[in-house]
PDB file of all heavy atoms in Angstrom:
ATOM      1  N   ILE A  53      20.669  22.644   5.126  1.00 90.00           N
ATOM      2  CA  ILE A  53      21.101  23.634   4.203  1.00 90.00           C
ATOM      3  C   ILE A  53      20.123  24.784   4.182  1.00 90.00           C
ATOM      4  O   ILE A  53      18.895  24.476   4.199  1.00 90.00           O
ATOM      5  CB  ILE A  53      21.226  23.071   2.717  1.00 90.00           C
ATOM      6  CG1 ILE A  53      22.054  21.788   2.808  1.00 90.00           C
ATOM      7  CG2 ILE A  53      21.768  24.017   1.743  1.00 90.00           C
ATOM      8  CD1 ILE A  53      23.445  21.955   3.059  1.00 90.00           C
ATOM      9  N   TYR A  54      20.710  26.021   4.094  1.00 93.00           N
ATOM     10  CA  TYR A  54      19.777  27.240   4.138  1.00 93.00           C
ATOM     11  C   TYR A  54      19.773  27.827   2.893  1.00 93.00           C
ATOM     12  O   TYR A  54      20.929  28.154   2.281  1.00 93.00           O
ATOM     13  CB  TYR A  54      20.241  28.114   5.290  1.00 93.00           C
ATOM     14  CG  TYR A  54      20.078  27.570   6.688  1.00 93.00           C
ATOM     15  CD1 TYR A  54      21.163  26.842   7.181  1.00 93.00           C
ATOM     16  CD2 TYR A  54      18.916  27.687   7.337  1.00 93.00           C
ATOM     17  CE1 TYR A  54      21.022  26.236   8.461  1.00 93.00           C
ATOM     18  CE2 TYR A  54      18.835  27.198   8.644  1.00 93.00           C
ATOM     19  CZ  TYR A  54      19.817  26.397   9.151  1.00 93.00           C
ATOM     20  OH  TYR A  54      19.744  25.836  10.496  1.00 93.00           O
ATOM     21  N   PHE A  55      18.650  28.398   2.395  1.00 95.00           N
ATOM     22  CA  PHE A  55      18.440  29.174   1.198  1.00 95.00           C
ATOM     23  C   PHE A  55      17.877  30.487   1.564  1.00 95.00           C
ATOM     24  O   PHE A  55      16.828  30.632   2.238  1.00 95.00           O
ATOM     25  CB  PHE A  55      17.552  28.464   0.188  1.00 95.00           C
ATOM     26  CG  PHE A  55      18.153  27.023  -0.248  1.00 95.00           C
ATOM     27  CD1 PHE A  55      17.818  26.038   0.472  1.00 95.00           C
ATOM     28  CD2 PHE A  55      18.897  27.077  -1.365  1.00 95.00           C
ATOM     29  CE1 PHE A  55      18.407  24.734   0.137  1.00 95.00           C
ATOM     30  CE2 PHE A  55      19.481  25.791  -1.792  1.00 95.00           C
ATOM     31  CZ  PHE A  55      19.210  24.690  -1.039  1.00 95.00           C
ATOM     32  N   SER A  56      18.504  31.604   1.072  1.00 95.00           N
ATOM     33  CA  SER A  56      17.997  32.986   1.520  1.00 95.00           C
ATOM     34  C   SER A  56      16.684  33.194   0.785  1.00 95.00           C
ATOM     35  O   SER A  56      16.495  32.748  -0.340  1.00 95.00           O
ATOM     36  CB  SER A  56      19.066  34.020   1.218  1.00 95.00           C
ATOM     37  OG  SER A  56      19.330  34.099  -0.098  1.00 95.00           O
ATOM     38  N   ALA A  57      15.881  33.971   1.536  1.00 96.00           N
ATOM     39  CA  ALA A  57      14.462  34.242   0.911  1.00 96.00           C
ATOM     40  C   ALA A  57      14.057  35.664   1.361  1.00 96.00           C
ATOM     41  O   ALA A  57      14.357  36.059   2.539  1.00 96.00           O
ATOM     42  CB  ALA A  57      13.466  33.301   1.294  1.00 96.00           C
ATOM     43  N   PHE A  58      13.424  36.372   0.479  1.00 97.00           N
ATOM     44  CA  PHE A  58      12.935  37.759   0.736  1.00 97.00           C
ATOM     45  C   PHE A  58      11.456  37.728   0.518  1.00 97.00           C
ATOM     46  O   PHE A  58      10.976  37.041  -0.461  1.00 97.00           O
ATOM     47  CB  PHE A  58      13.593  38.786  -0.101  1.00 97.00           C
ATOM     48  CG  PHE A  58      15.065  38.818   0.231  1.00 97.00           C
ATOM     49  CD1 PHE A  58      15.982  37.984  -0.364  1.00 97.00           C
ATOM     50  CD2 PHE A  58      15.538  39.820   0.957  1.00 97.00           C
ATOM     51  CE1 PHE A  58      17.310  38.065  -0.089  1.00 97.00           C
ATOM     52  CE2 PHE A  58      17.000  40.026   1.281  1.00 97.00           C
ATOM     53  CZ  PHE A  58      17.758  39.109   0.673  1.00 97.00           C
ATOM     54  N   GLU A  59      10.691  38.465   1.290  1.00 96.00           N
ATOM     55  CA  GLU A  59       9.206  38.460   1.022  1.00 96.00           C
ATOM     56  C   GLU A  59       8.611  39.938   0.936  1.00 96.00           C
ATOM     57  O   GLU A  59       9.182  40.820   1.506  1.00 96.00           O
ATOM     58  CB  GLU A  59       8.594  37.889   2.323  1.00 96.00           C
ATOM     59  CG  GLU A  59       7.033  37.747   2.300  1.00 96.00           C
ATOM     60  CD  GLU A  59       6.486  37.058   3.482  1.00 96.00           C
ATOM     61  OE1 GLU A  59       7.120  36.987   4.517  1.00 96.00           O
ATOM     62  OE2 GLU A  59       5.345  36.662   3.386  1.00 96.00           O
ATOM     63  N   HIS A  60       7.715  39.980   0.044  1.00 96.00           N
ATOM     64  CA  HIS A  60       6.937  41.191  -0.183  1.00 96.00           C
ATOM     65  C   HIS A  60       5.504  40.929  -0.012  1.00 96.00           C
ATOM     66  O   HIS A  60       4.869  40.194  -0.770  1.00 96.00           O
ATOM     67  CB  HIS A  60       7.215  41.797  -1.529  1.00 96.00           C
ATOM     68  CG  HIS A  60       6.269  42.889  -1.946  1.00 96.00           C
ATOM     69  ND1 HIS A  60       6.333  44.234  -1.437  1.00 96.00           N
ATOM     70  CD2 HIS A  60       5.182  42.925  -2.734  1.00 96.00           C
ATOM     71  CE1 HIS A  60       5.410  44.889  -2.026  1.00 96.00           C
ATOM     72  NE2 HIS A  60       4.696  44.238  -2.766  1.00 96.00           N
ATOM     73  N   ARG A  61       4.860  41.530   1.066  1.00 94.00           N
ATOM     74  CA  ARG A  61       3.383  41.253   1.403  1.00 94.00           C
ATOM     75  C   ARG A  61       2.537  42.346   1.020  1.00 94.00           C
ATOM     76  O   ARG A  61       2.969  43.554   1.241  1.00 94.00           O
ATOM     77  CB  ARG A  61       3.239  40.934   2.785  1.00 94.00           C
ATOM     78  CG  ARG A  61       3.658  39.557   3.246  1.00 94.00           C
ATOM     79  CD  ARG A  61       3.206  39.281   4.715  1.00 94.00           C
ATOM     80  NE  ARG A  61       3.656  37.969   5.221  1.00 94.00           N
ATOM     81  CZ  ARG A  61       2.771  36.963   5.047  1.00 94.00           C
ATOM     82  NH1 ARG A  61       1.678  36.901   4.544  1.00 94.00           N
ATOM     83  NH2 ARG A  61       3.290  35.780   5.490  1.00 94.00           N
ATOM     84  N   GLU A  62       1.353  42.033   0.327  1.00 92.00           N
ATOM     85  CA  GLU A  62       0.229  43.083   0.098  1.00 92.00           C
ATOM     86  C   GLU A  62      -0.885  42.565   0.741  1.00 92.00           C
ATOM     87  O   GLU A  62      -1.688  41.956   0.109  1.00 92.00           O
ATOM     88  CB  GLU A  62       0.285  43.174  -1.351  1.00 92.00           C
ATOM     89  CG  GLU A  62       1.408  43.820  -2.024  1.00 92.00           C
ATOM     90  CD  GLU A  62       1.311  43.966  -3.533  1.00 92.00           C
ATOM     91  OE1 GLU A  62       0.594  45.072  -3.980  1.00 92.00           O
ATOM     92  OE2 GLU A  62       1.803  43.182  -4.313  1.00 92.00           O
ATOM     93  N   ILE A  63      -1.048  42.808   1.998  1.00 88.00           N
ATOM     94  CA  ILE A  63      -2.099  42.225   2.823  1.00 88.00           C
ATOM     95  C   ILE A  63      -3.413  42.637   2.472  1.00 88.00           C
ATOM     96  O   ILE A  63      -4.383  41.810   2.256  1.00 88.00           O
ATOM     97  CB  ILE A  63      -1.860  42.703   4.335  1.00 88.00           C
ATOM     98  CG1 ILE A  63      -0.576  42.067   4.856  1.00 88.00           C
ATOM     99  CG2 ILE A  63      -3.099  42.222   5.221  1.00 88.00           C
ATOM    100  CD1 ILE A  63      -0.168  42.592   6.300  1.00 88.00           C
ATOM    101  N   ASP A  64      -3.683  43.903   1.945  1.00 89.00           N
ATOM    102  CA  ASP A  64      -4.854  44.440   1.522  1.00 89.00           C
ATOM    103  C   ASP A  64      -5.320  43.677   0.147  1.00 89.00           C
ATOM    104  O   ASP A  64      -6.551  43.598  -0.071  1.00 89.00           O
ATOM    105  CB  ASP A  64      -4.901  45.930   1.344  1.00 89.00           C
ATOM    106  CG  ASP A  64      -3.747  46.436   0.432  1.00 89.00           C
ATOM    107  OD1 ASP A  64      -2.693  45.812   0.421  1.00 89.00           O
ATOM    108  OD2 ASP A  64      -3.924  47.502  -0.254  1.00 89.00           O
ATOM    109  N   LEU A  65      -4.464  43.358  -0.551  1.00 89.00           N
ATOM    110  CA  LEU A  65      -4.636  42.577  -1.863  1.00 89.00           C
ATOM    111  C   LEU A  65      -4.692  41.059  -1.705  1.00 89.00           C
ATOM    112  O   LEU A  65      -4.834  40.261  -2.699  1.00 89.00           O
ATOM    113  CB  LEU A  65      -3.696  43.106  -2.972  1.00 89.00           C
ATOM    114  CG  LEU A  65      -3.844  44.532  -3.427  1.00 89.00           C
ATOM    115  CD1 LEU A  65      -2.826  44.900  -4.378  1.00 89.00           C
ATOM    116  CD2 LEU A  65      -5.178  44.761  -3.959  1.00 89.00           C
ATOM    117  N   ARG A  66      -4.294  40.574  -0.483  1.00 91.00           N
ATOM    118  CA  ARG A  66      -4.196  39.097  -0.139  1.00 91.00           C
ATOM    119  C   ARG A  66      -3.240  38.408  -1.056  1.00 91.00           C
ATOM    120  O   ARG A  66      -3.531  37.334  -1.762  1.00 91.00           O
ATOM    121  CB  ARG A  66      -5.631  38.500  -0.207  1.00 91.00           C
ATOM    122  CG  ARG A  66      -6.455  38.892   0.854  1.00 91.00           C
ATOM    123  CD  ARG A  66      -7.651  38.044   1.044  1.00 91.00           C
ATOM    124  NE  ARG A  66      -8.908  38.978   0.828  1.00 91.00           N
ATOM    125  CZ  ARG A  66      -9.995  38.613   0.428  1.00 91.00           C
ATOM    126  NH1 ARG A  66     -10.215  37.424   0.104  1.00 91.00           N
ATOM    127  NH2 ARG A  66     -11.052  39.513   0.391  1.00 91.00           N
ATOM    128  N   ARG A  67      -2.094  38.999  -1.115  1.00 93.00           N
ATOM    129  CA  ARG A  67      -0.984  38.285  -1.979  1.00 93.00           C
ATOM    130  C   ARG A  67       0.338  38.604  -1.426  1.00 93.00           C
ATOM    131  O   ARG A  67       0.603  39.588  -0.703  1.00 93.00           O
ATOM    132  CB  ARG A  67      -1.239  38.703  -3.429  1.00 93.00           C
ATOM    133  CG  ARG A  67      -0.923  40.166  -3.611  1.00 93.00           C
ATOM    134  CD  ARG A  67      -1.258  40.534  -5.017  1.00 93.00           C
ATOM    135  NE  ARG A  67      -0.913  41.864  -5.432  1.00 93.00           N
ATOM    136  CZ  ARG A  67      -1.084  42.380  -6.546  1.00 93.00           C
ATOM    137  NH1 ARG A  67      -1.757  41.729  -7.574  1.00 93.00           N
ATOM    138  NH2 ARG A  67      -0.775  43.657  -6.839  1.00 93.00           N
ATOM    139  N   SER A  68       1.309  37.777  -1.873  1.00 94.00           N
ATOM    140  CA  SER A  68       2.691  37.867  -1.449  1.00 94.00           C
ATOM    141  C   SER A  68       3.600  37.546  -2.694  1.00 94.00           C
ATOM    142  O   SER A  68       3.092  36.708  -3.527  1.00 94.00           O
ATOM    143  CB  SER A  68       3.108  36.961  -0.364  1.00 94.00           C
ATOM    144  OG  SER A  68       2.324  37.352   0.810  1.00 94.00           O
ATOM    145  N   SER A  69       4.733  38.014  -2.705  1.00 95.00           N
ATOM    146  CA  SER A  69       5.831  37.550  -3.632  1.00 95.00           C
ATOM    147  C   SER A  69       7.082  37.246  -2.827  1.00 95.00           C
ATOM    148  O   SER A  69       7.342  37.981  -1.860  1.00 95.00           O
ATOM    149  CB  SER A  69       6.018  38.634  -4.777  1.00 95.00           C
ATOM    150  OG  SER A  69       6.304  39.809  -4.239  1.00 95.00           O
ATOM    151  N   PHE A  70       7.841  36.305  -3.280  1.00 96.00           N
ATOM    152  CA  PHE A  70       9.046  35.827  -2.610  1.00 96.00           C
ATOM    153  C   PHE A  70      10.101  35.807  -3.628  1.00 96.00           C
ATOM    154  O   PHE A  70       9.954  35.348  -4.793  1.00 96.00           O
ATOM    155  CB  PHE A  70       8.849  34.465  -2.009  1.00 96.00           C
ATOM    156  CG  PHE A  70       7.718  34.320  -1.058  1.00 96.00           C
ATOM    157  CD1 PHE A  70       6.502  34.152  -1.336  1.00 96.00           C
ATOM    158  CD2 PHE A  70       8.171  34.601   0.379  1.00 96.00           C
ATOM    159  CE1 PHE A  70       5.525  33.902  -0.444  1.00 96.00           C
ATOM    160  CE2 PHE A  70       7.115  34.422   1.380  1.00 96.00           C
ATOM    161  CZ  PHE A  70       5.796  34.193   0.895  1.00 96.00           C
ATOM    162  N   LEU A  71      11.313  36.335  -3.150  1.00 97.00           N
ATOM    163  CA  LEU A  71      12.549  36.182  -3.904  1.00 97.00           C
ATOM    164  C   LEU A  71      13.344  35.042  -3.269  1.00 97.00           C
ATOM    165  O   LEU A  71      13.727  35.258  -2.057  1.00 97.00           O
ATOM    166  CB  LEU A  71      13.334  37.463  -4.005  1.00 97.00           C
ATOM    167  CG  LEU A  71      14.677  37.453  -4.674  1.00 97.00           C
ATOM    168  CD1 LEU A  71      14.518  37.066  -6.094  1.00 97.00           C
ATOM    169  CD2 LEU A  71      15.461  38.757  -4.450  1.00 97.00           C
ATOM    170  N   ILE A  72      13.595  33.849  -3.911  1.00 96.00           N
ATOM    171  CA  ILE A  72      14.215  32.890  -3.304  1.00 96.00           C
ATOM    172  C   ILE A  72      15.419  32.376  -4.019  1.00 96.00           C
ATOM    173  O   ILE A  72      15.485  32.211  -5.286  1.00 96.00           O
ATOM    174  CB  ILE A  72      13.248  31.634  -3.264  1.00 96.00           C
ATOM    175  CG1 ILE A  72      11.897  32.093  -2.643  1.00 96.00           C
ATOM    176  CG2 ILE A  72      13.856  30.358  -2.645  1.00 96.00           C
ATOM    177  CD1 ILE A  72      10.809  31.090  -3.034  1.00 96.00           C
ATOM    178  N   LYS A  73      16.553  32.320  -3.367  1.00 97.00           N
ATOM    179  CA  LYS A  73      17.816  31.936  -3.864  1.00 97.00           C
ATOM    180  C   LYS A  73      17.778  30.276  -4.168  1.00 97.00           C
ATOM    181  O   LYS A  73      17.349  29.505  -3.184  1.00 97.00           O
ATOM    182  CB  LYS A  73      19.010  32.209  -2.948  1.00 97.00           C
ATOM    183  CG  LYS A  73      20.336  32.141  -3.693  1.00 97.00           C
ATOM    184  CD  LYS A  73      21.341  32.798  -3.014  1.00 97.00           C
ATOM    185  CE  LYS A  73      22.631  32.745  -3.848  1.00 97.00           C
ATOM    186  NZ  LYS A  73      23.765  33.508  -3.269  1.00 97.00           N
ATOM    187  N   ASN A  74      18.168  29.871  -5.332  1.00 95.00           N
ATOM    188  CA  ASN A  74      18.120  28.447  -5.667  1.00 95.00           C
ATOM    189  C   ASN A  74      19.382  27.695  -5.294  1.00 95.00           C
ATOM    190  O   ASN A  74      19.297  26.549  -5.128  1.00 95.00           O
ATOM    191  CB  ASN A  74      17.909  28.289  -7.231  1.00 95.00           C
ATOM    192  CG  ASN A  74      17.593  26.944  -7.625  1.00 95.00           C
ATOM    193  OD1 ASN A  74      17.018  26.163  -6.819  1.00 95.00           O
ATOM    194  ND2 ASN A  74      18.048  26.506  -8.789  1.00 95.00           N
ATOM    195  N   ARG A  75      20.555  28.404  -5.036  1.00 92.00           N
ATOM    196  CA  ARG A  75      21.753  27.677  -4.714  1.00 92.00           C
ATOM    197  C   ARG A  75      22.272  28.114  -3.433  1.00 92.00           C
ATOM    198  O   ARG A  75      22.196  29.216  -3.004  1.00 92.00           O
ATOM    199  CB  ARG A  75      22.748  28.106  -5.917  1.00 92.00           C
ATOM    200  CG  ARG A  75      24.006  27.320  -5.861  1.00 92.00           C
ATOM    201  CD  ARG A  75      24.945  27.622  -6.935  1.00 92.00           C
ATOM    202  NE  ARG A  75      26.050  26.681  -7.055  1.00 92.00           N
ATOM    203  CZ  ARG A  75      26.896  26.664  -8.033  1.00 92.00           C
ATOM    204  NH1 ARG A  75      26.879  27.759  -8.859  1.00 92.00           N
ATOM    205  NH2 ARG A  75      27.889  25.796  -8.081  1.00 92.00           N
ATOM    206  N   SER A  76      22.906  27.123  -2.676  1.00 92.00           N
ATOM    207  CA  SER A  76      23.422  27.335  -1.491  1.00 92.00           C
ATOM    208  C   SER A  76      24.776  26.608  -1.377  1.00 92.00           C
ATOM    209  O   SER A  76      24.991  25.570  -1.920  1.00 92.00           O
ATOM    210  CB  SER A  76      22.506  26.892  -0.300  1.00 92.00           C
ATOM    211  OG  SER A  76      23.035  27.192   0.993  1.00 92.00           O
ATOM    212  N   PHE A  77      25.669  27.247  -0.668  1.00 87.00           N
ATOM    213  CA  PHE A  77      26.988  26.635  -0.426  1.00 87.00           C
ATOM    214  C   PHE A  77      27.275  26.293   1.009  1.00 87.00           C
ATOM    215  O   PHE A  77      26.679  26.876   1.858  1.00 87.00           O
ATOM    216  CB  PHE A  77      28.065  27.752  -0.860  1.00 87.00           C
ATOM    217  CG  PHE A  77      28.186  28.100  -2.272  1.00 87.00           C
ATOM    218  CD1 PHE A  77      27.463  29.242  -2.741  1.00 87.00           C
ATOM    219  CD2 PHE A  77      28.815  27.418  -3.194  1.00 87.00           C
ATOM    220  CE1 PHE A  77      27.512  29.552  -4.079  1.00 87.00           C
ATOM    221  CE2 PHE A  77      28.814  27.650  -4.549  1.00 87.00           C
ATOM    222  CZ  PHE A  77      28.106  28.757  -4.952  1.00 87.00           C
ATOM    223  N   TYR A  78      27.886  25.174   1.135  1.00 81.00           N
ATOM    224  CA  TYR A  78      28.229  24.671   2.523  1.00 81.00           C
ATOM    225  C   TYR A  78      29.562  23.982   2.444  1.00 81.00           C
ATOM    226  O   TYR A  78      30.151  23.666   1.380  1.00 81.00           O
ATOM    227  CB  TYR A  78      27.138  23.674   2.982  1.00 81.00           C
ATOM    228  CG  TYR A  78      26.953  22.508   2.131  1.00 81.00           C
ATOM    229  CD1 TYR A  78      27.582  21.210   2.603  1.00 81.00           C
ATOM    230  CD2 TYR A  78      26.175  22.447   0.959  1.00 81.00           C
ATOM    231  CE1 TYR A  78      27.461  20.142   1.908  1.00 81.00           C
ATOM    232  CE2 TYR A  78      26.108  21.338   0.238  1.00 81.00           C
ATOM    233  CZ  TYR A  78      26.737  20.089   0.722  1.00 81.00           C
ATOM    234  OH  TYR A  78      26.572  19.048  -0.047  1.00 81.00           O
ATOM    235  N   SER A  79      30.146  23.802   3.637  1.00 76.00           N
ATOM    236  CA  SER A  79      31.414  23.159   3.675  1.00 76.00           C
ATOM    237  C   SER A  79      31.216  21.774   4.271  1.00 76.00           C
ATOM    238  O   SER A  79      30.447  21.519   5.092  1.00 76.00           O
ATOM    239  CB  SER A  79      32.501  23.921   4.592  1.00 76.00           C
ATOM    240  OG  SER A  79      32.041  24.030   5.797  1.00 76.00           O
ATOM    241  N   LYS A  80      32.061  20.846   3.710  1.00 72.00           N
ATOM    242  CA  LYS A  80      32.062  19.462   4.026  1.00 72.00           C
ATOM    243  C   LYS A  80      33.360  19.036   4.523  1.00 72.00           C
ATOM    244  O   LYS A  80      34.364  19.246   3.844  1.00 72.00           O
ATOM    245  CB  LYS A  80      31.530  18.673   2.875  1.00 72.00           C
ATOM    246  CG  LYS A  80      31.360  17.192   3.065  1.00 72.00           C
ATOM    247  CD  LYS A  80      31.007  16.504   1.836  1.00 72.00           C
ATOM    248  CE  LYS A  80      31.011  14.967   1.958  1.00 72.00           C
ATOM    249  NZ  LYS A  80      30.700  14.341   0.751  1.00 72.00           N
ATOM    250  N   PRO A  81      33.474  18.382   5.808  1.00 69.00           N
ATOM    251  CA  PRO A  81      34.720  17.867   6.178  1.00 69.00           C
ATOM    252  C   PRO A  81      35.236  16.641   5.339  1.00 69.00           C
ATOM    253  O   PRO A  81      34.495  15.812   5.076  1.00 69.00           O
ATOM    254  CB  PRO A  81      34.502  17.534   7.663  1.00 69.00           C
ATOM    255  CG  PRO A  81      33.002  17.269   7.684  1.00 69.00           C
ATOM    256  CD  PRO A  81      32.368  18.150   6.637  1.00 69.00           C
ATOM    257  N   VAL A  82      36.461  16.721   5.171  1.00 68.00           N
ATOM    258  CA  VAL A  82      37.081  15.636   4.370  1.00 68.00           C
ATOM    259  C   VAL A  82      38.261  15.141   5.292  1.00 68.00           C
ATOM    260  O   VAL A  82      39.237  15.799   5.543  1.00 68.00           O
ATOM    261  CB  VAL A  82      37.679  15.917   3.026  1.00 68.00           C
ATOM    262  CG1 VAL A  82      38.368  14.812   2.324  1.00 68.00           C
ATOM    263  CG2 VAL A  82      36.532  16.481   2.185  1.00 68.00           C
ATOM    264  N   ASN A  83      38.155  13.967   5.666  1.00 64.00           N
ATOM    265  CA  ASN A  83      39.305  13.422   6.534  1.00 64.00           C
ATOM    266  C   ASN A  83      40.266  12.602   5.641  1.00 64.00           C
ATOM    267  O   ASN A  83      39.865  11.762   4.814  1.00 64.00           O
ATOM    268  CB  ASN A  83      38.729  12.474   7.591  1.00 64.00           C
ATOM    269  CG  ASN A  83      37.938  13.234   8.676  1.00 64.00           C
ATOM    270  OD1 ASN A  83      38.359  14.377   9.010  1.00 64.00           O
ATOM    271  ND2 ASN A  83      36.841  12.540   9.115  1.00 64.00           N
ATOM    272  N   ASN A  84      41.487  13.018   5.680  1.00 61.00           N
ATOM    273  CA  ASN A  84      42.477  12.288   4.910  1.00 61.00           C
ATOM    274  C   ASN A  84      43.850  12.093   5.790  1.00 61.00           C
ATOM    275  O   ASN A  84      44.336  12.906   6.303  1.00 61.00           O
ATOM    276  CB  ASN A  84      42.903  13.210   3.760  1.00 61.00           C
ATOM    277  CG  ASN A  84      43.755  12.608   2.750  1.00 61.00           C
ATOM    278  OD1 ASN A  84      44.383  11.608   2.997  1.00 61.00           O
ATOM    279  ND2 ASN A  84      43.837  13.226   1.578  1.00 61.00           N
ATOM    280  N   ALA A  85      44.079  10.791   5.862  1.00 57.00           N
ATOM    281  CA  ALA A  85      45.209  10.385   6.845  1.00 57.00           C
ATOM    282  C   ALA A  85      46.588  10.930   6.193  1.00 57.00           C
ATOM    283  O   ALA A  85      47.570  11.189   7.077  1.00 57.00           O
ATOM    284  CB  ALA A  85      45.237   8.883   6.837  1.00 57.00           C
ATOM    285  N   LEU A  86      46.615  11.182   4.930  1.00 59.00           N
ATOM    286  CA  LEU A  86      47.811  11.687   4.376  1.00 59.00           C
ATOM    287  C   LEU A  86      48.056  13.203   4.488  1.00 59.00           C
ATOM    288  O   LEU A  86      49.014  13.727   4.159  1.00 59.00           O
ATOM    289  CB  LEU A  86      48.105  11.296   2.953  1.00 59.00           C
ATOM    290  CG  LEU A  86      47.950   9.775   2.772  1.00 59.00           C
ATOM    291  CD1 LEU A  86      47.898   9.493   1.130  1.00 59.00           C
ATOM    292  CD2 LEU A  86      49.176   9.070   3.377  1.00 59.00           C
ATOM    293  N   ASN A  87      47.004  13.755   4.962  1.00 58.00           N
ATOM    294  CA  ASN A  87      46.888  15.295   5.096  1.00 58.00           C
ATOM    295  C   ASN A  87      47.719  15.763   6.300  1.00 58.00           C
ATOM    296  O   ASN A  87      47.618  15.209   7.336  1.00 58.00           O
ATOM    297  CB  ASN A  87      45.496  15.810   5.063  1.00 58.00           C
ATOM    298  CG  ASN A  87      45.357  17.262   4.904  1.00 58.00           C
ATOM    299  OD1 ASN A  87      46.313  18.059   4.949  1.00 58.00           O
ATOM    300  ND2 ASN A  87      44.157  17.722   4.471  1.00 58.00           N
ATOM    301  N   LEU A  88      48.410  16.845   6.235  1.00 59.00           N
ATOM    302  CA  LEU A  88      49.153  17.498   7.335  1.00 59.00           C
ATOM    303  C   LEU A  88      48.259  17.956   8.395  1.00 59.00           C
ATOM    304  O   LEU A  88      48.553  18.190   9.569  1.00 59.00           O
ATOM    305  CB  LEU A  88      50.041  18.592   6.869  1.00 59.00           C
ATOM    306  CG  LEU A  88      51.207  18.199   5.934  1.00 59.00           C
ATOM    307  CD1 LEU A  88      52.015  19.357   5.519  1.00 59.00           C
ATOM    308  CD2 LEU A  88      52.204  17.205   6.741  1.00 59.00           C
TER     309      LEU A  88
END
Side-chain angles (χ1 to χ4, degrees):
I53 308 295
Y54 296 92
F55 298 88
S56 63
F58 298 80
E59 181 178 21
H60 168 73
R61 282 190 183 266
E62 296 178 80
I63 295 169
D64 52 328
L65 297 174
R66 291 191 238 157
R67 63 187 187 185
S68 298
S69 52
F70 298 87
L71 175 65
I72 306 162
K73 191 160 186 181
N74 189 33
R75 189 174 192 181
S76 183
F77 293 94
Y78 65 97
S79 61
K80 179 180 175 184
V82 177
N83 293 323
N84 185 346
L86 300 174
N87 195 341
L88 293 174

